[in-house]
Amino acid sequence: MKTTSSKSAQPWKDLFAPSKNPNSSLEFFQPLLVDGVPRTKPPPEVAAKGAEEWENSIVAFLIGKKLPGNNVKGVLERKWSQVRHFSFHVVRNGVFLVKFTNGQARDWVLENGPWDIWGYHLAVRKWSKDMVLALEDCKSIPIWVKLTRVPVQYWTKLGLSYIVCVLGKPLHMDANTTKRYALSFARVCIDMEATSSFPDNIILELDDGSTTTIGVSIHGGLPHVLYAKFLIIQIRPVQEQPGGNGCLNRWYWHRESRMMWKAGLR
């Protein structure tokens, strides 16, 4: 006996019917023709206006694990409950764009890291329109470093900036360091190049010509090796290995990980 579905198929004409949402409508603009090839050239104000919508946003890179966007969003809603409302957008696997209602909320997240999702590092940085939104194309990564034995006279925004420039580009201090609640260590977020090495200490030359040694380590329990180099192995695709299918080769990654342990790099 032939049965019919309780829900009839959607008519073809409805697939192309105008949406009832006025924000979904688009406009036609005549393309340019350059050497016989069509090209579009929006005026500068189009990009400027679009960038304004994302000016209070951050880009979050999940390192070492692919998780569904809803899982990541749920964890962040709990960890970032203090900022209340934000919109969450999946760019691609491991890359997310988070838009806040104001710059104060965005800066709270940037300054109160490091963050993680189920133990996997979440690297966050302020969004800019020229930013690459692909994990494999990142040539640097923001990390939190811990500085010890910093002379009090250098415990300033300018002094700490000079010190961490040895490691990379200074981004910001955490709240405790900014307010100088305790002077036992400073915690600073920096942007490090993937080709950089991570030293055990920083030599600081004082104003009288003598030198002192600043202790430095990666904060948050990350390996004591530049995490950006660590990242390069994690995102290596399977197609570089026999029988690859375009996904992360977990066996290959674990083999590389064990080799790094033996070499003392983790």
Side-chain angles (χ1 to χ4, degrees):
M1 181 177 179
K2 188 176 181 178
T3 60
T4 58
S5 174
S6 58
K7 184 178 180 180
S8 59
Q10 186 180 19
W12 276 100
K13 63 171 184 162
D14 291 346
L15 292 177
F16 303 98
S19 172
K20 296 179 181 179
N21 184 350
N23 293 325
S24 68
S25 62
L26 300 174
E27 302 177 50
F28 175 80
F29 298 97
Q30 187 66 43
L32 301 176
L33 201 60
V34 180
D35 297 330
V37 179
R39 177 185 299 183
T40 180
K41 185 181 179 181
E45 56 266 24
V46 173
K49 186 68 175 177
E52 287 180 4
E53 295 187 19
W54 301 96
E55 63 181 355
N56 295 322
S57 301
I58 63 170
V59 181
F61 299 95
L62 183 60
I63 312 298
K65 184 71 173 179
K66 292 183 179 180
L67 292 174
N70 285 337
N71 293 37
V72 177
K73 180 183 178 183
V75 174
L76 296 182
E77 284 176 340
R78 293 190 296 273
K79 292 194 173 190
W80 297 349
S81 59
Q82 181 169 324
V83 302
R84 302 190 177 221
H85 303 294
F86 59 83
S87 61
F88 184 86
H89 312 268
V90 179
V91 178
R92 59 185 68 194
N93 281 336
V95 184
F96 312 96
L97 196 58
V98 186
K99 184 166 69 172
F100 300 92
T101 55
N102 54 62
Q104 183 179 4
R106 176 203 62 203
D107 292 345
W108 182 89
V109 170
L110 291 173
E111 295 170 4
N112 285 274
W115 302 103
D116 70 276
I117 304 294
W118 298 347
Y120 293 92
H121 180 52
L122 187 74
V124 296
R125 57 174 51 167
K126 183 179 178 181
W127 175 84
S128 63
K129 63 180 181 181
D130 58 345
M131 180 179 292
V132 177
L133 299 181
L135 192 60
E136 61 272 18
D137 293 333
C138 289
K139 294 181 174 58
S140 63
I141 189 172
I143 61 172
W144 285 91
V145 297
K146 180 179 177 181
L147 305 174
T148 56
R149 303 189 301 274
V150 178
V152 174
Q153 65 270 31
Y154 292 98
W155 201 287
T156 63
K157 181 177 180 179
L158 195 59
L160 292 175
S161 294
Y162 268 99
I163 291 172
V164 296
C165 277
V166 173
L167 304 174
K169 180 182 177 181
L171 297 178
H172 44 261
M173 302 174 283
D174 72 348
N176 288 338
T177 302
T178 302
K179 296 178 181 179
R180 291 182 276 199
Y181 284 136
L183 301 181
S184 56
F185 68 88
R187 191 170 65 169
V188 181
C189 187
I190 61 172
D191 198 47
M192 292 192 74
E193 296 292 331
T195 55
S196 300
S197 58
F198 195 87
D200 294 322
N201 54 66
I202 296 172
I203 298 176
L204 170 65
E205 184 173 334
L206 305 176
D207 52 357
D208 62 1
S210 63
T211 61
T212 187
T213 301
I214 307 295
V216 58
S217 60
I218 297 179
H219 188 81
L222 300 181
H224 194 70
V225 64
L226 180 57
Y227 203 60
K229 288 183 177 179
F230 192 70
L231 163 66
I232 292 173
I233 296 177
Q234 293 193 48
I235 60 177
R236 184 176 297 172
V238 175
Q239 53 259 38
E240 295 182 8
Q241 307 305 315
N245 59 4
C247 301
L248 181 67
N249 189 331
R250 295 184 180 279
W251 177 85
Y252 182 76
W253 154 239
H254 287 308
R255 185 188 69 177
E256 290 280 357
S257 179
R258 289 194 298 271
M259 290 172 64
M260 291 180 71
W261 275 111
K262 292 180 179 179
L265 294 177
R266 287 190 62 189

